[in-house]
Amino acid sequence: MHIPRFMIAAVKSGSGKTVLTMAMLEALRQRGVSLRCCKCGPDYIDPMFHREILGLSSRNLDTFFTSPQLTREIFLSGRQDGDLVVMEGVMGLYDGLGGTRPEGSSYDLAKITGTPVILVLNARGMSRSALAVLRGFVDYDSDHLIRGFILNEITRTSYDRLKPLIEEELNIPVLGYMPHREELAMGRRHLGLLRPSEIRDLKENAALAAQSLESSVDVDRILKIAESAPPFEESPSVLFPAGLPRPDKAVFGSGPAADEPVIAVARDPAFCFYYEENLMLLRYYGARIVEFSPLYDKKLPDNISGLILGGGYPELSSFQLNANESMRSAVREAVLGGMPTLAECGGFLYLQESIDGKQMTSVLPGQSRGTGRLVRFGYVNITAKEGEDTFLRAGETIRGHEFHYYDSTDNGNACTAVKPVTGASWDCMVNTPTMLAGFAHLYYPSFPELARRFVEKAGQYRAKCIAAKEEFV
């Protein structure tokens, strides 16, 4: 399969990857290119920007979460021959697991998928020093994947002076530059960029960025580099051996099939962190996805048999979540009534007693407050201590990621979280026959059995509810 592709990577975080990616996606969309996009690593927010520009879901690809074969399969799933894929890198090009290992880095993903790299350097305030930085990155490029440079935050005069020097000494093309534009700067908070919904005139700014990029970056040459990416060979599916799941537009429509469990997924400004691959796995195992808002809806969707409360920013909406008493009561009744439930980070806090003193659902014990610092950050392996009919059985491990400034008085103790490089560990998670909840954002494809069990339990719950209604009638 021929999939033209390239990765926008950078020398370090804060180099302007997201603005450049946003500008590139909008420019290519305006050209009418058949387009898809991916994000390297566990970040949720950058894919939101991709979706906002394209109106399409964006994949997370992470070589810590998945094996090389599975990473390639997730990359290819749903692609059409000839689709152009734009990947956005993470941190610096070579920054990986624990800062010392290649797994999880942009470069590791580029190697595994055979993707040419366009390296971004924020060259503001630099002259010949830019050469030294870029030479170091090129010398470290063992697979010769760096195929071009973009200089960010510089003037046309500086660019005209640097471009011939770089190309003469490094023999790699400088494909353009982006000048500093204050109106294109992205706002930030403690978890990274602001959400797209919080940025005024985002689409107008994307159009401005695309216009700037088209005037100062050789997009045609980048497309030729993308076309030069090697083809993929067909290989047996690891994740979807029975074929890709059907598309699911997350709308209510007509009633579900008799044996089709319906999973309600919280989706609003407070709960917005989801891996598309997780939802794909749930659909693959037979679930139908519907969405609801703990912020704005007064009740849960009808006829559901499973509940997922993802991460996000419930702390920014704690007053509204507290004020929506009918939804808090509905969630509490459903979860305590045995509805299969998965809750991560912000969703975990919503199931507890309070956030910053504001009452939540009180399904679980614990009060949470902001600490003003990162409590835990980075990749983790989550292993269940015990359990036979739980979502995670004794000794089973799933991979995930933590990134939060809030902490709780009760983080659960059913599992052990272990940092893969340092070996640091701590107790975590609630793991019962009907609930798995904790701070970690879990990546289901790293242990697909979790998704299968969740859908199976949702189906059993549905059958039980139907039987109970028939008996009552």
Side-chain angles (χ1 to χ4, degrees):
M1 181 180 289
H2 176 54
I3 304 291
R5 57 198 181 275
F6 65 92
M7 176 186 287
I8 297 177
V11 167
K12 64 183 182 69
S13 293
S15 297
K17 290 190 304 292
T18 299
V19 172
L20 264 168
T21 302
M22 183 177 72
M24 183 68 71
L25 292 174
E26 176 62 14
L28 294 172
R29 187 192 68 78
Q30 290 180 11
R31 288 183 175 212
V33 175
S34 178
L35 192 60
R36 299 290 185 270
C37 50
C38 301
K39 171 64 180 178
C40 174
D43 177 68
Y44 289 103
I45 298 176
D46 286 336
M48 292 183 194
F49 284 91
H50 302 169
R51 282 192 294 270
E52 192 71 19
I53 301 302
L54 297 181
L56 297 170
S57 296
S58 178
R59 302 274 171 79
N60 285 81
L61 298 171
D62 192 305
T63 61
F64 168 72
F65 285 155
T66 50
S67 67
Q69 181 180 354
L70 188 49
T71 300
R72 286 189 288 268
E73 180 180 345
I74 292 171
F75 170 78
L76 288 172
S77 58
R79 307 293 184 214
Q80 300 295 320
D81 202 54
D83 277 349
L84 174 68
V85 178
V86 179
M87 293 187 191
E88 180 178 354
V90 61
M91 299 187 294
L93 178 61
Y94 302 111
D95 297 331
L97 189 60
T100 59
R101 283 166 47 180
E103 299 101 299
S105 70
S106 303
Y107 193 75
D108 199 40
L109 177 61
K111 283 177 64 174
I112 285 171
T113 58
T115 299
V117 172
I118 309 300
L119 187 66
V120 178
L121 171 67
N122 186 327
R124 191 174 188 179
M126 302 179 77
S127 54
R128 283 189 65 89
S129 294
L131 268 166
V133 174
L134 295 177
R135 178 177 289 282
F137 274 75
V138 171
D139 288 347
Y140 209 63
D141 178 12
S142 58
D143 284 57
H144 308 292
L145 296 172
I146 298 174
R147 300 287 300 280
F149 304 119
I150 294 176
L151 305 182
N152 199 21
E153 298 276 323
I154 65 168
T155 64
R156 177 75 197 209
T157 301
S158 296
Y159 173 73
D160 288 341
R161 186 171 62 247
L162 283 173
K163 173 180 167 69
L165 294 174
I166 294 169
E167 292 183 335
E168 180 181 355
E169 293 202 23
L170 300 182
N171 199 31
I172 293 175
V174 181
L175 300 167
Y177 75 102
M178 287 286 280
H180 176 73
R181 296 187 64 165
E182 194 64 41
E183 67 271 24
L184 301 183
M186 297 286 192
R188 303 185 73 85
R189 67 159 55 89
H190 57 255
L191 290 181
L193 297 172
L194 296 176
R195 294 164 300 191
S197 61
E198 298 175 279
I199 298 177
R200 288 187 59 190
D201 305 322
L202 176 63
K203 292 197 173 182
E204 291 82 355
N205 286 348
L208 284 173
Q211 183 180 20
S212 179
L213 181 133
E214 284 278 20
S215 67
S216 60
V217 174
D218 192 342
V219 178
D220 291 330
R221 193 164 182 181
I222 291 175
L223 290 175
K224 289 180 181 177
I225 290 171
E227 287 285 346
S228 72
F232 284 90
E233 294 184 7
E234 294 287 341
S235 60
S237 174
V238 176
L239 196 59
F240 304 115
L244 283 177
R246 73 207 185 297
D248 191 327
K249 296 181 180 179
V251 294
F252 302 122
S254 58
D259 60 347
E260 183 180 43
V262 180
I263 309 299
V265 175
R267 178 93 72 171
D268 60 22
F271 305 96
C272 50
F273 292 172
Y274 294 99
Y275 293 125
E276 178 63 24
E277 303 75 51
N278 288 0
L279 302 181
M280 284 180 66
L281 257 186
L282 294 174
R283 295 183 189 115
Y284 176 75
Y285 287 118
R288 182 177 175 216
I289 306 295
V290 299
E291 295 178 357
F292 76 103
S293 169
L295 272 176
Y296 307 123
D297 295 338
K298 296 304 180 185
K299 65 183 185 71
L300 290 167
D302 295 332
N303 301 315
I304 63 171
S305 47
L307 183 63
I308 296 181
L309 298 163
Y313 297 105
E315 71 274 16
L316 301 181
S317 304
S318 58
F319 282 102
Q320 299 97 307
L321 291 170
N322 170 263
N324 194 348
E325 294 183 26
S326 62
M327 178 58 79
R328 287 194 287 114
S329 296
V331 170
R332 177 179 170 81
E333 181 179 348
V335 179
L336 293 182
M339 182 179 290
T341 301
L342 298 174
E344 300 180 349
C345 204
F348 173 54
L349 299 186
Y350 183 61
L351 290 183
Q352 294 196 332
E353 296 168 8
S354 64
I355 299 176
D356 288 332
K358 270 83 75 180
Q359 185 177 353
M360 293 295 119
T361 65
S362 297
V363 170
L364 296 172
Q367 302 90 39
S368 65
R369 290 191 179 275
T371 66
R373 59 179 178 82
L374 266 176
V375 180
R376 282 179 293 277
F377 168 65
Y379 292 112
V380 287
N381 290 310
I382 305 288
T383 303
K385 296 179 184 179
E386 56 185 24
E388 295 182 359
D389 189 35
T390 49
F391 290 118
L392 281 182
R393 313 284 167 79
E396 293 177 339
T397 298
I398 189 168
R399 294 185 168 186
H401 188 269
E402 291 198 25
F403 192 164
H404 51 96
Y405 280 66
Y406 270 61
D407 204 359
S408 170
T409 57
D410 192 335
N411 291 328
N413 59 9
C415 301
T416 302
V418 180
K419 299 281 283 183
V421 175
T422 66
S425 65
W426 58 91
D427 290 340
C428 65
M429 308 292 287
V430 174
N431 184 30
T432 75
T434 60
M435 185 195 311
L436 183 65
F439 268 115
H441 299 283
L442 305 177
Y443 193 76
Y444 303 171
S446 69
F447 185 67
E449 186 67 7
L450 170 65
R452 190 197 65 77
R453 286 173 188 160
F454 182 72
V455 176
E456 180 181 60
K457 284 177 177 286
Q460 293 169 352
Y461 178 87
R462 175 176 171 77
K464 179 182 175 181
C465 290
I466 291 172
K469 287 178 182 178
E470 290 175 349
E471 183 179 340
F472 177 78
V473 171

